[in-house]
């Protein structure tokens, strides 16, 4: 605190005669006061606003709002601070005061930085810097550089943070800005602290402590910094004294940041002293504060320390829980940080390089994705013919050598498909395309399915295959049975593959129960060849098997365990392995699974039986340019639809011509064809008059990536079947089409290749029910508001697209997004968030017309559902 400067400001205030001059002097006095007496500065800001409004002093009102927003930021009242800054921004725009607007933007950035919304923070800092450069306001430019130092500090880029901070230091000194010098000294202390230069860090913190009186905010901040430095220097006595003193002062001053710092480092100190209960108490207090004020950076760090604490006390489930929370937040923040660096900071040459690197990375990713799609198509197309013809031959009566050869062909083709699917699954996981579902399922049913699938192979090898389920397991859970099965089948399949004698067993037991979460352990044990110690550490790496001799003997890609581990990670679980060469292997999978609220028995899925009677006199259009695939599809259909009339088209153009003239029961549409592909043909067929435009269309495709399937559905197709298709799945899908009351609205929600399609529900009112506490009147109110507002916003969005006004598109999408979430409309269906992002960044805008067309279609279906299901 600069006593002389404070007295000068007080004197200026006392001698001001005009009320406007008095208000301006009061603002300067409050700016100086905020560093040592925040509550007083807050009251002064409120007084400024009241007095300015009274005499219609608009600039004073705007500066008062900005000052109050700054104080609320330091208090940790972020929502209120943003509200007040919004008022300040409106005033600045009204009076066209760019200097005030820049200062407001900096304070916006400060709040969003504390909320770990670094992208938004950088946007405001960048806008402020642009304004201050135009105004040649060197002091405000330096404030922006100081803000960027803090951002780089958040990104762990301490070298850049130090560079920005030192640039600011010289300017602050030249302007004799004591308040900002205090803030900068604190930042420099933190930077040197993180760079392990504790003596230098201590110098800056001591400098602030010496220049401020006790019981002030600046002093509390300084001694908390000294406390954490002493902790790092293993001077635990001085560390605890300083931290306890700072904690007491920060509580009295209601300064959240210092409270969290003190609780955090007191917890670390007690943890190092093995005083676990005291450490936990400090961490819990820090976590509660950080969570209440949504300080994600702090929450992330606290979770990491809690994980260490529970690890030391052997509470593994809690240690694992906090570790996963830490990793999730770290990924979220750093994913955002990368986005920030690439898209929001455009003020240094290094960003141009980062943008080029990003473009290269994107191009590489696109090339990889395109390669995977092409590879999938090129392999699956001939595989469709091989498997299809083999299945057709096996459906006829065969004996002896012919039967043996056909079964060998079938087995080899199926093995090749497994390899293809492994590679595609890994690609999906790496691209972040795998979404873990949350559906009701039964663990015993999952294990029974695995037993049915693998027991035959085990019998062939004369080994025992056992399933042991804990009888205390509840009947039903909520999770992703498909992915759980995929992991267990992979592990159990390997166990059978690598076991020549003895047994393979799968055991399911409860490890621990926390509230409604059951930590279920699946143990897959075998008496097989085992894994040597040299391979155990790398067993989950891609393309890894226990030696080339194993690969030659047993085959496979070496991707199964990699995929299993990554799927387990996605389900927030753990996977481990124990093995001894020549004696066997045990894989353990620990999964946290939520208990289903409804434990009542429900019949198994209402799937159509392949033997269900089908109308045989159907008129079908088969669109396929490959003669082998055409033959397979035709013969397969005639096995079950003996009197069907099947027309053929070699490309989409011929299909369109035939669809204009004939009324088909359904169309089987290939995707990649000459002259016109299946997607374009479908879009044009949908424009035909009724009934020709309403014909059900099923894509027959070798491209099975999720984004491809969504593209087909968005084009107007009703369903898809992957090549090479299984007869059972093809017939089931035909049955669903023929039994659907509204064929044109048939969609699918599950894109997994082996699942049959289901009629989609576009809305999910579970959240709305929870939000309104099942109050039907309130629910109907919110539904009514959505039905009234959504069409208006959608119209604004369409007009924005028509006028190429992407800002209008972004605003409309941003407003519509939360309303859609209240109605439980999945982003995977609406793509509303993607529309907002693309319109906001004005990148890849060529994708917007298709996304908006899909959004309109989804909204129309949502309106119909909400009207139909009116509560």
């Amino acid at each position: 605190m600069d006593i002389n400067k404070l007295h000068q400001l007080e004197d200026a205030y006392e001698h001001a005669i005009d009320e406007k001059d008095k208000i301006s002097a009061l603002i300067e006095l409050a700016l100086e006061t905020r560093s040592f007496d925040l509550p007083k500065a807050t009251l002064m800001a409120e007084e400024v606003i009241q007095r300015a409004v009274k005499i219609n002093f608009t600039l004073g009102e705007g500066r008062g709002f900005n000052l109050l927003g700054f104080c609320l930021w330091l208090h940790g009242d972020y929502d209120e601070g943003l509200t007040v800054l919004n008022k300040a921004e409106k005033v600045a725009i009204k009076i066209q005061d760019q200097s005030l607007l820049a200062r407001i933007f900096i304070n916006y950035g400060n709040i969003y930085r504390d909320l770990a919304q670094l992208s938004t923070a950088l946007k405001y800092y960048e806008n402020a810097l642009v304004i201050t450069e135009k105004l040649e306001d060197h002091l405000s430019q330096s404030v922006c550089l100081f803000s960027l130092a803090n951002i780089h500090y958040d990104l762990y880029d301490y070298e850049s943070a130090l560079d920005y901070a030192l640039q600011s230091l010289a300017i602050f000194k030249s302007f004799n800005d004591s308040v900002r010098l205090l803030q900068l000294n604190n930042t420099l202390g933190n930077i040197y602290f993180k760079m392990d230069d504790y003596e230098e860090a201590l110098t800056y913190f001591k400098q602030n402590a010496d220049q401020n009186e006790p019981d002030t905010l600046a002093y509390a901040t300084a001694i908390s910094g000294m406390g954490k430095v002493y902790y790092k220097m293993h001077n635990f006595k001085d560390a605890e004294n300083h931290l306890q003193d700072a904690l007491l002062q920060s509580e009295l001053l209601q300064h959240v940041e210092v409270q969290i710092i003190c609780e955090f480092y007191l917890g670390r100190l007690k943890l190092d002293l093995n005083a676990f209960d005291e450490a936990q108490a400090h961490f819990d207090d820090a976590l509660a504060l950080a969570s209440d004020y949504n300080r994600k950076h702090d929450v992330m760090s606290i979770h990491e320390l809690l994980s260490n604490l529970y690890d030391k006390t052997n509470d593994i489930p809690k240690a694992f829980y906090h570790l996963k929370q830490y990793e999730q937040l770290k990924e979220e923040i750093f994913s955002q940080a990368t986005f920030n660096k690439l898209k929001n900071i455009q003020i240094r040459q290094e960003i141009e390089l980062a943008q080029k690197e990003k473009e290269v990375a994107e191009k590489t990713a696109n090339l990889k994705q395109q390669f995977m799609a092409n590879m999938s198509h090129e392999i699956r197309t001939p595989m469709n013919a091989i498997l299809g013809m083999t299945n057709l031959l096996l459906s006829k009566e065969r004996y002896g050598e012919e039967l043996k050869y056909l079964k060998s062909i079938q087995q080899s083709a199926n093995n090749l498909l497994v390899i293809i699917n492994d590679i595609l699954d890994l690609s999906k996981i790496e691209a972040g395309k795998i979404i873990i579902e949350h559906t009701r399922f039964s663990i015993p049913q999952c294990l029974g399915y695995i037993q049915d699938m693998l027991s035959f192979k085990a019998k062939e090898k004369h080994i025992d295959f056992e399933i042991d389920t804990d009888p205390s397991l509840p009947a039903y859970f909520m999770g992703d049975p498909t992915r759980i099965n995929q992991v267990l089948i992979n592990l159990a399949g390997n166990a059978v593959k690598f076991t020549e004698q003895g047994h393979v067993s799968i055991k399911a037991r409860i490890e621990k129960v926390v509230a409604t979460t059951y930590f279920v352990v699946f143990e897959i044990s075998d008496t097989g060849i085992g894994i040597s110690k040299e391979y155990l550490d790398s067993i989950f790496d891609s393309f890894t098997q226990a030696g080339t001799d194993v690969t030659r003997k047993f085959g496979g890609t070496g991707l199964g365990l990699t995929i299993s581990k990554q799927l387990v990670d996605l389900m927030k679980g753990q996977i481990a392995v124990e093995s001894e060469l020549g004696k066997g292997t045990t894989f353990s999978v620990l999964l946290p699974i939520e208990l289903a609220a409804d434990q009542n028995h429900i019949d198994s899925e209402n799937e159509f039986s392949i033997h269900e009677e089908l109308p045989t006199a159907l008129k079908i259009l088969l669109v396929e340019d490959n003669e082998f695939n055409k033959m397979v599809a035709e013969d397969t259909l005639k096995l079950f639809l003996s009197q069907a009339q099947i027309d053929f088209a070699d490309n989409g153009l011929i299909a369109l011509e035939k669809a204009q003239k004939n009324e088909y029961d359904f169309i089987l549409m290939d995707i990649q064809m000459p002259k016109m592909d299946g997607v374009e043909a479908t879009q044009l067929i949908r424009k035909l008059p009724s009934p020709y435009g309403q014909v059900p269309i099923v894509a027959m495709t070798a491209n099975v990536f999720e984004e491809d399937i969504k593209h087909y559905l968005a084009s107007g197709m009703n369903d898809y079947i992957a090549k090479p298709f299984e007869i059972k799945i093809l017939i089931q899908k035909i049955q669903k089409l023929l039994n659907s009351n509204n064929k044109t609205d048939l969609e699918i929600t599950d894109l997994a290749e082996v699942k049959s399609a289901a009629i989609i529900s576009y809305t999910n009112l579970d959240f709305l029910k929870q939000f309104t506490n099942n109050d039907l009147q309130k629910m109907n109110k919110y539904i009514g508001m959505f039905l009234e507002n959504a069409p208006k916003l959608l119209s604004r969005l369409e007009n924005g697209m028509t006028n190429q006004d992407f800002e209008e598109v972004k605003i409309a999408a941003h407003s519509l997004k939360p309303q859609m979430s209240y109605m439980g409309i999945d982003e995977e269906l609406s793509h509303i968030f993607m529309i907002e992002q693309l319109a906001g960044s004005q990148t890849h805008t060529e994708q917007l017309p298709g996304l908006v067309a899909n959004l309109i279609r989804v909204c129309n279906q949502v309106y119909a559902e909400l009207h139909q299901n009116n509560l």
Side-chain angles (χ1 to χ4, degrees):
M1 177 171 57
D2 188 335
I3 297 295
N4 291 331
K5 185 175 181 180
L6 187 65
H7 287 324
Q8 290 173 7
L9 292 171
E10 288 173 343
D11 189 58
Y13 175 74
E14 292 296 331
H15 288 86
I17 299 172
D18 183 75
E19 177 65 359
K20 286 187 178 181
D21 292 340
K22 271 195 170 292
I23 292 171
S24 298
L26 183 59
I27 291 171
E28 296 303 321
L29 187 57
L31 289 173
E32 188 69 22
T33 305
R34 64 188 178 178
S35 65
F36 61 87
D37 193 341
L38 187 59
K40 184 177 179 180
T42 305
L43 293 173
M44 293 167 77
E46 292 172 345
E47 183 183 346
V48 165
I49 295 167
Q50 292 171 2
R51 290 170 64 172
V53 170
K54 190 173 182 179
I55 65 167
N56 199 27
F57 180 22
T58 312
L59 175 58
E61 181 187 354
R63 292 189 67 189
F65 278 130
N66 185 47
L67 175 59
L68 181 58
F70 179 94
C71 293
L72 290 168
W73 160 54
L74 291 182
H75 271 301
D77 295 336
Y78 302 128
D79 290 340
E80 185 64 24
L82 291 173
T83 301
V84 170
L85 288 175
N86 184 253
K87 294 177 181 178
E89 183 182 0
K90 289 179 180 177
V91 172
I93 293 171
K94 178 181 178 182
I95 63 176
Q96 297 184 349
D97 191 315
Q98 291 294 299
S99 179
L100 174 59
L101 190 62
R103 294 196 294 273
I104 294 166
F105 283 162
I106 290 170
N107 286 333
Y108 268 131
N110 293 338
I111 291 178
Y112 282 114
R113 178 198 164 215
D114 274 6
L115 292 171
Q117 296 183 30
L118 301 183
S119 172
T120 307
L122 276 169
K123 179 187 74 174
Y124 281 111
Y125 290 149
E126 182 187 358
N127 290 342
L129 189 60
V130 169
I131 293 172
T132 56
E133 285 174 344
K134 287 181 180 177
L135 296 175
E136 297 185 356
D137 183 347
H138 299 299
L139 178 60
S140 294
Q141 283 181 48
S142 188
V143 175
C144 294
L145 295 176
F146 172 44
S147 301
L148 290 172
N150 287 323
I151 287 289
H152 282 284
Y153 175 85
D154 291 338
L155 301 177
Y156 301 166
D157 184 0
Y158 304 125
E159 294 289 346
S160 298
L162 183 61
D163 178 51
Y164 280 115
L166 292 175
Q167 288 181 56
S168 304
L169 183 63
I171 298 176
F172 288 161
K173 283 182 176 179
S174 68
F175 279 89
N176 193 27
D177 192 329
S178 58
V179 172
R180 292 195 175 96
L181 278 170
L182 284 172
Q183 296 171 357
L184 183 56
N185 282 345
N186 185 61
T187 293
L188 284 166
N190 284 326
I191 293 171
Y192 283 117
F193 174 76
K194 289 294 187 180
M195 296 175 74
D196 299 331
D197 191 343
Y198 301 129
E199 293 294 343
E200 194 70 19
L202 199 58
T203 299
Y204 283 100
F205 288 133
K206 276 185 175 180
Q207 187 175 324
N208 273 6
D210 292 341
Q211 292 177 2
N212 288 278
E213 298 294 326
D215 301 324
T216 64
L217 174 59
Y219 183 79
T221 304
I223 61 172
S224 71
M226 292 173 65
K228 65 186 186 183
V229 173
Y230 284 133
Y231 160 74
K232 280 290 190 176
M233 297 170 76
H234 301 288
N235 183 349
F236 287 175
K237 182 179 178 180
D238 284 343
E240 185 168 7
N241 289 338
H242 280 76
L243 290 168
Q244 289 286 8
D245 192 8
L247 178 59
L248 178 61
Q249 292 193 39
S250 62
E251 288 173 344
L252 293 172
L253 295 167
Q254 299 178 5
H255 193 270
V256 175
E257 182 178 2
V258 175
Q259 290 181 63
I260 294 171
I261 290 170
C262 293
E263 296 283 11
F264 180 78
Y265 279 98
L266 284 168
R268 292 190 66 173
L269 188 152
K270 296 298 181 182
L271 181 61
D272 287 354
L273 295 173
N274 292 330
F276 298 128
D277 290 341
E278 293 181 69
Q280 182 183 336
H282 285 298
F283 288 145
D284 286 345
D285 288 344
L287 183 60
L289 280 168
S291 300
D292 285 346
Y293 289 91
N294 200 22
R295 295 174 64 92
K296 290 183 180 178
H297 259 106
D298 295 328
V299 172
M300 176 189 75
S301 299
I302 298 163
H303 276 303
E304 182 182 22
L305 267 296
L306 279 168
S307 176
N308 291 341
L309 185 149
Y310 285 118
D311 184 43
K312 285 189 174 184
T313 56
N314 294 319
D315 192 340
I316 301 305
K318 284 187 179 179
F320 174 69
Y321 166 78
H322 287 288
L323 180 61
K324 295 304 289 185
Q325 293 297 311
Y326 160 74
E327 289 176 345
Q328 182 178 337
L329 276 169
K330 185 176 180 181
E331 182 179 347
E332 179 183 335
I333 291 170
F334 274 81
S335 172
Q336 187 67 64
T338 304
F339 179 77
N340 298 339
K341 280 190 171 182
L342 293 173
K343 290 199 171 182
N344 290 355
I345 306 178
Q346 297 173 352
I347 59 175
R348 289 291 179 269
Q349 291 182 351
E350 65 187 43
I351 301 308
E352 295 178 9
L353 175 61
Q355 287 174 329
K356 290 177 182 178
E357 289 175 348
K358 177 175 179 284
E359 289 172 6
V360 170
E362 285 181 344
K363 189 175 289 185
T364 302
N366 289 336
L367 287 171
K368 178 182 176 183
Q369 190 78 1
Q370 189 60 47
F371 168 76
M372 297 301 294
N374 289 342
M375 185 192 74
S376 168
H377 183 270
E378 294 305 320
I379 295 176
R380 285 172 177 272
T381 297
M383 286 297 294
N384 178 52
I386 294 169
L387 268 175
M389 292 180 183
T390 303
N391 290 333
L392 287 170
L393 289 171
L394 283 170
S395 68
K396 306 179 185 301
E397 202 167 345
R398 299 283 176 182
Y399 301 96
E401 292 293 306
E402 282 186 348
L403 183 61
K404 185 175 80 171
Y405 294 152
L406 286 171
K407 285 188 174 181
S408 295
I409 294 171
Q410 185 184 50
Q411 183 62 46
S412 298
N414 283 328
N415 288 343
L416 183 54
L417 275 181
V418 170
I419 294 172
I420 297 168
N421 290 334
D422 275 353
I423 295 170
L424 294 179
D425 269 349
L426 184 65
S427 177
K428 290 178 190 176
I429 292 170
E430 289 177 346
K433 300 294 185 181
I434 297 285
I435 296 174
I436 299 300
E437 296 179 353
H438 199 65
T439 58
R440 190 171 181 268
F441 75 102
S442 161
I443 288 178
Q445 285 182 4
C446 284
L447 296 181
Y449 169 75
I450 295 169
Q451 187 171 33
D452 290 343
M453 186 175 182
L454 298 176
S455 59
F456 179 75
K457 184 66 177 176
K459 285 179 182 177
E460 281 186 341
K461 300 183 73 173
H462 304 291
I463 58 176
D464 295 328
F465 190 89
E466 303 165 356
I467 300 288
D468 183 6
T469 306
D470 188 336
S472 63
L473 273 171
Y476 294 100
F477 290 92
M478 298 298 293
D480 193 332
T482 301
R483 297 305 175 187
I484 293 174
N485 270 2
Q486 186 175 352
V487 171
L488 297 181
I489 288 171
N490 212 324
L491 297 176
N494 279 348
V496 172
K497 181 197 295 187
F498 297 123
T499 301
E500 297 301 328
Q501 58 182 0
H503 71 274
V504 171
S505 68
I506 305 177
K507 296 179 181 179
R509 59 179 174 83
I510 300 171
E511 175 83 5
K512 188 182 179 76
V513 180
V514 180
T516 59
T517 301
Y518 280 67
F519 289 83
V520 181
V521 176
F522 299 92
E523 290 183 349
I524 299 89
S525 301
D526 65 60
T527 55
I529 62 175
I531 305 166
S532 64
K533 290 182 179 180
E534 64 181 297
Y535 287 107
L536 273 179
D537 290 340
S538 61
I539 197 67
F540 294 112
D541 294 345
S542 299
F543 304 100
T544 298
Q545 287 188 335
T548 54
D549 54 331
V550 173
T551 304
R552 285 195 298 268
K553 180 176 180 181
F554 295 100
T557 60
L559 291 176
L561 292 178
T562 303
I563 293 166
S564 295
K565 184 181 187 308
Q566 295 191 18
L567 288 175
V568 169
D569 288 344
L570 285 172
M571 291 185 282
K572 305 187 187 305
Q574 289 180 308
I575 185 170
V577 58
E578 294 179 0
S579 186
E580 187 174 348
L581 200 60
K583 293 189 177 180
T585 304
T586 298
F587 282 91
S588 299
V589 178
L590 172 67
L591 293 177
I593 313 176
E594 287 295 314
L595 181 69
D598 183 7
Q599 289 292 310
N600 295 323
H601 175 71
I602 296 177
D603 291 337
S604 59
E605 294 181 8
N606 183 26
E607 294 184 351
F608 290 88
S609 167
I610 196 168
H611 301 296
E612 182 178 327
E613 186 176 346
L614 280 168
T616 55
L618 293 173
K619 192 168 185 178
I620 305 165
L621 177 59
L622 179 58
V623 189
E624 172 65 72
D625 67 318
N626 184 291
E627 287 299 323
F628 290 104
N629 290 337
K630 188 185 297 183
M631 189 190 313
V632 169
E634 180 185 11
D635 289 349
T636 301
L637 289 169
K638 286 187 174 178
L639 277 176
F640 297 91
L641 306 170
S642 56
Q643 299 178 35
Q645 177 187 336
I646 303 176
D647 284 353
F648 299 96
D650 291 333
N651 58 59
L653 189 60
I654 298 173
L656 176 63
E657 293 171 356
K658 293 198 172 188
Q660 287 174 314
K661 301 174 183 176
N662 301 287
E663 189 174 342
Y664 294 104
D665 289 289
F666 62 89
I667 297 174
L668 293 175
M669 180 78 73
D670 188 25
I671 299 298
Q672 294 186 6
M673 295 178 292
K675 295 186 180 179
M676 181 184 290
D677 64 28
V679 170
E680 185 181 356
T682 298
Q683 291 170 335
L684 292 173
I685 289 171
R686 289 293 177 239
K687 294 179 181 179
L688 297 177
S690 181
Y692 305 106
Q694 282 72 47
V695 57
I697 301 175
V698 179
M700 292 193 305
T701 174
N703 290 344
V704 292
F705 282 95
E706 184 172 342
E707 55 268 32
D708 294 323
I709 303 304
K710 289 177 183 175
H711 181 50
Y712 306 152
L713 298 178
S715 73
M717 295 183 181
N718 301 85
D719 207 336
Y720 85 101
I721 185 163
K723 295 178 182 177
F725 56 78
E726 293 183 31
I727 296 173
K728 174 183 175 182
I729 292 177
L730 175 62
I731 299 304
Q732 284 177 342
K733 295 199 174 202
I734 292 172
Q735 288 167 343
K736 288 195 173 187
L737 286 174
L738 297 179
N739 283 277
S740 172
N741 293 325
N742 187 359
K743 295 177 183 177
T744 59
D745 287 334
L746 184 65
E747 293 282 4
I748 66 169
T749 55
D750 190 344
L751 299 178
E753 298 170 30
V754 298
K755 289 186 178 179
S756 54
I759 299 174
I760 199 167
S761 175
Y762 283 71
T763 58
N764 182 345
L765 301 183
D766 288 347
F767 172 77
L768 190 59
K769 290 175 183 177
Q770 183 181 5
F771 178 72
T772 60
N773 200 22
N774 284 317
D775 187 324
L776 295 182
Q777 186 175 358
K778 287 184 180 179
M779 290 178 69
N780 280 323
K781 174 186 172 183
Y782 282 104
I783 291 172
M785 289 171 60
F786 175 82
L787 290 172
E788 180 181 353
N789 294 332
K792 296 176 183 176
L793 291 169
L794 197 59
S795 178
R796 282 182 60 186
L797 197 150
E798 290 184 79
N799 289 336
M801 285 297 301
T802 301
N803 299 324
Q804 294 291 288
D805 185 350
F806 296 119
E807 183 65 21
E808 178 72 3
V809 173
K810 183 193 81 169
I811 293 170
H814 182 75
S815 300
L816 184 58
K817 181 176 63 178
Q819 299 187 30
M820 297 188 81
S821 69
Y822 273 87
M823 299 300 115
I825 303 164
D826 195 337
E827 165 66 19
E828 293 296 318
L829 289 172
S830 69
H831 303 302
I832 186 72
F833 177 76
M834 188 182 296
I835 292 171
E836 179 192 1
Q837 292 298 304
L838 293 180
S841 63
Q842 295 192 23
T843 56
H844 302 297
T845 53
E846 72 279 358
Q847 297 181 26
L848 282 171
L851 291 169
V852 171
N854 173 69
L855 177 64
I856 294 168
R857 181 180 62 81
V858 168
C859 282
N860 288 331
Q861 180 64 26
V862 166
Y863 303 153
E865 277 187 28
L866 292 176
H867 282 300
Q868 183 179 358
N869 299 324
N870 190 10
L871 302 170

